[in-house]
Amino acid sequence: MKVLTILGARPQFIKAAAVSRVIREEVTELIVHTGQHYDANMSDIFFEELNIPKPDYHLGIGSGNHGKQTGEMLAKIEDIILTETPDFVLVYGDTNSTLAGALAAAKLHVPIVHIEAGLRSFNKKMPEEVNRILTDHVSTLLLCPTETAIQNLTNENISAGVYNVGDVMYDAVLYNKTLAESTSTILERENLKAKEYLLITIHRAENTDDVDRMKSILDAFSQIPETKVWPIHPRTKKKLEDYGFKLDQIPNLQVIEPVGYLDMLSLETSAKKIVTDSGGVQKEAYFAEVPCVTVRDQTEWVETLIEDANILTGTDTNKIVEAVQKQVSPSYTPVFGDGKTAEKVLALLKEHSI
Ligand code: UD1
Ligand code: UDP
């Protein structure tokens, strides 16, 4: 069986690290890296530290408007599918690389495996929502992380090929947790004391591309006296420069370059709270049992909201500050599977191969 896996963005490398290791025991996998993320600390670092197999094809597409970026990927992935004639095309999540892979495969009648199927924010202004709806509607195997995702697909009349396999990011955390504990020196390097700092990540277009929302978020950070560490996404860095916002005026804020996954796990585990708009980081906060504040209006990961484990604030300054200060003690019931998602993916690939 030959599987063509399409990767392009940081969270997809992390997910692939968990899945590729397992499926390669019984499947021939070829990896296509679209080049959507290309900085060393957004791409290469993950391949190196997580031992992700080197991509068989690197498309080098880079950044651009959605149409151009997705269109260029589509044309190149189509050529590769025609050359390689895979049994399945495997895509992760909801990025432009996901959509390009799914569209190319659908037009050539190659079955698509979508990992992280069924997630919805019900906000079609998000590029990710468009990408995931379209991908789900052309997929053959829809591998969902939660029962909510299954229900979302049922509501769209999709039932064939739908399975709850749990969350692949939980596999990734379980596999790398001990390694992160024993090797990461990020706390020492950044002079941070465990449970005495907040971890921040912001990159979602709905926030970064809206000057008022960004101002409101930064105002909240200014009002929070605790030490804050912020590995800044290149998109956010560029936007803040464009807006002329000065982060060095925010008290006790340490802005650092994006970090590798092991350093990130270490930063998450030792944080007092996490403030984010990332999908993956919301879940990792839950896995690490660290309270989270999500500066978005919706979340696809509604399970994390139980008992205020994650508080959804939007970008209202006061709501963010209040949520950060709120004392919470959630029970963190396991809702994201058993950490054996990759094994379930392999079993389903075998069951569905012709
Ligand atoms: C993309 C995904 C988003 C995902 C995120 C993970 C889409 C539409 N969005 O958002 O769902 O949550 O990845 O991090 O697919 N840039 C660099 N260097 C890089 C990569 C990006 O400088 O290596 C800068 C460029 O200015 C680029 C901007 O970041 O224009 C945005 O990059 P892009 O990949 O288009 O979207 P992300 O915001 O990263
Ligand atoms: N991450 C990382 N270094 C960072 C920031 C995030 O390794 O500096 C990891 C994080 O631990 C998670 C994933 O990247 O596994 C989340 O990716 P991101 O927030 O870029 O995208 P999203 O999940 O929102 O699509």
Short mmCIF file of all heavy atoms in Angstrom, two decimals, residues 48-79:
data_model
loop_
_atom_site.label_atom_id
_atom_site.label_comp_id
_atom_site.label_asym_id
_atom_site.label_seq_id
_atom_site.Cartn_x
_atom_site.Cartn_y
_atom_site.Cartn_z
N GLU A 48 14.06 17.55 12.31
CA GLU A 48 15.28 17.09 12.96
C GLU A 48 14.99 16.50 14.34
O GLU A 48 15.32 15.36 14.61
CB GLU A 48 16.30 18.24 13.07
CG GLU A 48 16.95 18.54 11.73
CD GLU A 48 17.41 19.99 11.61
OE1 GLU A 48 17.58 20.67 12.64
OE2 GLU A 48 17.61 20.43 10.45
N GLU A 49 14.31 17.28 15.21
CA GLU A 49 14.20 16.80 16.59
C GLU A 49 13.15 15.69 16.75
O GLU A 49 13.25 14.90 17.68
CB GLU A 49 13.96 17.96 17.58
CG GLU A 49 12.60 18.58 17.53
CD GLU A 49 12.38 19.64 18.61
OE1 GLU A 49 13.30 20.00 19.35
OE2 GLU A 49 11.23 20.11 18.68
N LEU A 50 12.22 15.59 15.83
CA LEU A 50 11.18 14.55 15.96
C LEU A 50 11.42 13.38 15.00
O LEU A 50 10.58 12.49 14.89
CB LEU A 50 9.79 15.16 15.70
CG LEU A 50 9.40 16.33 16.61
CD1 LEU A 50 8.03 16.85 16.28
CD2 LEU A 50 9.47 15.92 18.09
N ASN A 51 12.58 13.40 14.33
CA ASN A 51 12.92 12.30 13.41
C ASN A 51 11.84 12.03 12.37
O ASN A 51 11.51 10.86 12.09
CB ASN A 51 13.18 11.00 14.18
CG ASN A 51 14.53 11.04 14.85
OD1 ASN A 51 15.49 11.55 14.25
ND2 ASN A 51 14.60 10.57 16.07
N ILE A 52 11.28 13.07 11.82
CA ILE A 52 10.28 12.90 10.76
C ILE A 52 11.05 12.56 9.49
O ILE A 52 12.08 13.19 9.21
CB ILE A 52 9.46 14.19 10.55
CG1 ILE A 52 8.84 14.64 11.88
CG2 ILE A 52 8.37 13.99 9.49
CD1 ILE A 52 8.28 16.04 11.85
N PRO A 53 10.61 11.52 8.76
CA PRO A 53 11.34 11.17 7.55
C PRO A 53 11.45 12.37 6.61
O PRO A 53 10.53 13.19 6.50
CB PRO A 53 10.48 10.07 6.92
CG PRO A 53 9.62 9.57 8.03
CD PRO A 53 9.44 10.68 8.99
N LYS A 54 12.59 12.48 5.96
CA LYS A 54 12.84 13.59 5.03
C LYS A 54 11.77 13.58 3.93
O LYS A 54 11.44 12.51 3.40
CB LYS A 54 14.21 13.35 4.39
CG LYS A 54 15.03 14.59 4.17
CD LYS A 54 16.46 14.15 3.76
CE LYS A 54 16.95 14.81 2.50
NZ LYS A 54 16.68 16.19 2.29
N PRO A 55 11.23 14.74 3.55
CA PRO A 55 10.22 14.74 2.49
C PRO A 55 10.77 14.17 1.18
O PRO A 55 11.93 14.43 0.83
CB PRO A 55 9.87 16.22 2.33
CG PRO A 55 10.26 16.85 3.60
CD PRO A 55 11.43 16.07 4.13
N ASP A 56 9.95 13.40 0.49
CA ASP A 56 10.34 12.87 -0.82
C ASP A 56 10.22 13.95 -1.88
O ASP A 56 10.90 13.92 -2.89
CB ASP A 56 9.44 11.68 -1.16
CG ASP A 56 9.60 10.58 -0.14
OD1 ASP A 56 10.53 9.77 -0.29
OD2 ASP A 56 8.84 10.56 0.86
N TYR A 57 9.29 14.89 -1.65
CA TYR A 57 9.10 16.02 -2.57
C TYR A 57 9.03 17.29 -1.75
O TYR A 57 8.31 17.34 -0.76
CB TYR A 57 7.79 15.90 -3.35
CG TYR A 57 7.73 14.76 -4.33
CD1 TYR A 57 7.29 13.50 -3.92
CD2 TYR A 57 8.11 14.95 -5.66
CE1 TYR A 57 7.23 12.45 -4.84
CE2 TYR A 57 8.05 13.90 -6.57
CZ TYR A 57 7.62 12.65 -6.15
OH TYR A 57 7.55 11.62 -7.05
N HIS A 58 9.77 18.31 -2.15
CA HIS A 58 9.64 19.62 -1.50
C HIS A 58 9.21 20.62 -2.56
O HIS A 58 9.94 20.88 -3.51
CB HIS A 58 10.97 20.03 -0.86
CG HIS A 58 10.77 21.03 0.23
ND1 HIS A 58 10.09 22.22 0.03
CD2 HIS A 58 11.10 21.02 1.54
CE1 HIS A 58 10.03 22.88 1.17
NE2 HIS A 58 10.63 22.18 2.11
N LEU A 59 8.02 21.18 -2.39
CA LEU A 59 7.44 22.02 -3.45
C LEU A 59 7.91 23.48 -3.38
O LEU A 59 7.79 24.21 -4.37
CB LEU A 59 5.91 21.98 -3.40
CG LEU A 59 5.28 20.58 -3.40
CD1 LEU A 59 3.76 20.68 -3.47
CD2 LEU A 59 5.81 19.74 -4.55
N GLY A 60 8.40 23.90 -2.23
CA GLY A 60 8.95 25.25 -2.09
C GLY A 60 7.98 26.36 -2.45
O GLY A 60 8.36 27.39 -3.00
N ILE A 61 6.71 26.19 -2.12
CA ILE A 61 5.70 27.19 -2.52
C ILE A 61 5.84 28.49 -1.72
O ILE A 61 5.73 29.57 -2.28
CB ILE A 61 4.26 26.64 -2.33
CG1 ILE A 61 4.07 25.31 -3.07
CG2 ILE A 61 3.20 27.68 -2.73
CD1 ILE A 61 3.98 25.37 -4.55
N GLY A 62 6.03 28.40 -0.42
CA GLY A 62 6.20 29.61 0.39
C GLY A 62 4.90 30.36 0.63
O GLY A 62 3.81 29.82 0.44
N SER A 63 5.05 31.63 1.06
CA SER A 63 3.87 32.42 1.44
C SER A 63 3.21 33.04 0.22
O SER A 63 3.81 33.15 -0.84
CB SER A 63 4.30 33.54 2.39
OG SER A 63 5.02 33.02 3.48
N GLY A 64 1.98 33.52 0.41
CA GLY A 64 1.27 34.20 -0.67
C GLY A 64 -0.20 34.31 -0.34
O GLY A 64 -0.65 33.77 0.67
N ASN A 65 -0.94 35.00 -1.18
CA ASN A 65 -2.39 35.05 -0.98
C ASN A 65 -2.97 33.65 -1.10
O ASN A 65 -2.36 32.77 -1.73
CB ASN A 65 -3.04 35.97 -2.02
CG ASN A 65 -2.70 37.43 -1.74
OD1 ASN A 65 -2.34 37.79 -0.62
ND2 ASN A 65 -2.78 38.26 -2.77
N HIS A 66 -4.15 33.46 -0.51
CA HIS A 66 -4.70 32.10 -0.42
C HIS A 66 -4.81 31.43 -1.79
O HIS A 66 -4.43 30.27 -1.96
CB HIS A 66 -6.08 32.13 0.24
CG HIS A 66 -6.00 32.46 1.69
ND1 HIS A 66 -5.72 31.51 2.65
CD2 HIS A 66 -6.13 33.63 2.35
CE1 HIS A 66 -5.69 32.10 3.84
NE2 HIS A 66 -5.94 33.38 3.68
N GLY A 67 -5.35 32.15 -2.78
CA GLY A 67 -5.60 31.55 -4.09
C GLY A 67 -4.31 31.11 -4.75
O GLY A 67 -4.19 29.98 -5.24
N LYS A 68 -3.33 32.00 -4.73
CA LYS A 68 -2.06 31.71 -5.39
C LYS A 68 -1.35 30.55 -4.67
O LYS A 68 -0.90 29.58 -5.30
CB LYS A 68 -1.18 32.96 -5.37
CG LYS A 68 0.12 32.84 -6.10
CD LYS A 68 0.75 34.23 -6.25
CE LYS A 68 2.03 34.19 -7.06
NZ LYS A 68 3.14 33.57 -6.35
N GLN A 69 -1.31 30.66 -3.35
CA GLN A 69 -0.59 29.64 -2.57
C GLN A 69 -1.25 28.26 -2.77
O GLN A 69 -0.59 27.28 -3.08
CB GLN A 69 -0.61 30.04 -1.09
CG GLN A 69 0.21 29.15 -0.19
CD GLN A 69 0.04 29.51 1.28
OE1 GLN A 69 -1.08 29.63 1.77
NE2 GLN A 69 1.16 29.68 1.98
N THR A 70 -2.58 28.22 -2.62
CA THR A 70 -3.29 26.94 -2.73
C THR A 70 -3.22 26.42 -4.17
O THR A 70 -3.03 25.23 -4.41
CB THR A 70 -4.77 27.11 -2.29
OG1 THR A 70 -4.80 27.83 -1.08
CG2 THR A 70 -5.45 25.77 -2.10
N GLY A 71 -3.37 27.34 -5.13
CA GLY A 71 -3.37 26.94 -6.54
C GLY A 71 -2.03 26.36 -6.97
O GLY A 71 -1.98 25.33 -7.67
N GLU A 72 -0.95 26.99 -6.53
CA GLU A 72 0.37 26.46 -6.90
C GLU A 72 0.60 25.08 -6.29
O GLU A 72 1.17 24.19 -6.92
CB GLU A 72 1.47 27.44 -6.46
CG GLU A 72 1.53 28.67 -7.35
CD GLU A 72 2.59 29.67 -6.94
OE1 GLU A 72 3.37 29.38 -6.02
OE2 GLU A 72 2.61 30.76 -7.54
N MET A 73 0.14 24.92 -5.06
CA MET A 73 0.27 23.59 -4.42
C MET A 73 -0.55 22.56 -5.18
O MET A 73 -0.08 21.44 -5.45
CB MET A 73 -0.27 23.64 -2.98
CG MET A 73 0.55 24.44 -2.01
SD MET A 73 -0.37 24.45 -0.45
CE MET A 73 0.55 25.69 0.45
N LEU A 74 -1.76 22.93 -5.54
CA LEU A 74 -2.68 22.02 -6.23
C LEU A 74 -2.04 21.48 -7.51
O LEU A 74 -2.03 20.27 -7.76
CB LEU A 74 -3.97 22.79 -6.54
CG LEU A 74 -5.07 22.11 -7.32
CD1 LEU A 74 -5.61 20.91 -6.57
CD2 LEU A 74 -6.23 23.09 -7.57
N ALA A 75 -1.48 22.38 -8.31
CA ALA A 75 -0.89 21.96 -9.59
C ALA A 75 0.27 21.00 -9.37
O ALA A 75 0.39 19.97 -10.06
CB ALA A 75 -0.42 23.19 -10.36
N LYS A 76 1.10 21.31 -8.38
CA LYS A 76 2.28 20.47 -8.17
C LYS A 76 1.92 19.13 -7.53
O LYS A 76 2.51 18.10 -7.86
CB LYS A 76 3.32 21.21 -7.32
CG LYS A 76 3.96 22.37 -8.09
CD LYS A 76 5.17 22.93 -7.38
CE LYS A 76 5.82 24.01 -8.23
NZ LYS A 76 6.95 24.67 -7.60
N ILE A 77 0.96 19.15 -6.62
CA ILE A 77 0.55 17.88 -5.98
C ILE A 77 -0.11 16.97 -7.03
O ILE A 77 0.09 15.76 -7.05
CB ILE A 77 -0.39 18.14 -4.77
CG1 ILE A 77 0.37 18.89 -3.68
CG2 ILE A 77 -0.93 16.82 -4.22
CD1 ILE A 77 -0.50 19.41 -2.54
N GLU A 78 -0.88 17.58 -7.93
CA GLU A 78 -1.51 16.80 -9.00
C GLU A 78 -0.44 16.03 -9.80
O GLU A 78 -0.59 14.82 -10.06
CB GLU A 78 -2.28 17.73 -9.92
CG GLU A 78 -3.01 17.01 -11.04
CD GLU A 78 -3.85 18.00 -11.85
OE1 GLU A 78 -3.28 18.89 -12.50
OE2 GLU A 78 -5.08 17.88 -11.80
N ASP A 79 0.62 16.71 -10.18
CA ASP A 79 1.70 16.04 -10.93
C ASP A 79 2.26 14.86 -10.14
O ASP A 79 2.54 13.79 -10.70
CB ASP A 79 2.85 17.02 -11.21
CG ASP A 79 2.48 18.01 -12.30
OD1 ASP A 79 1.49 17.76 -13.02
OD2 ASP A 79 3.17 19.06 -12.40
#
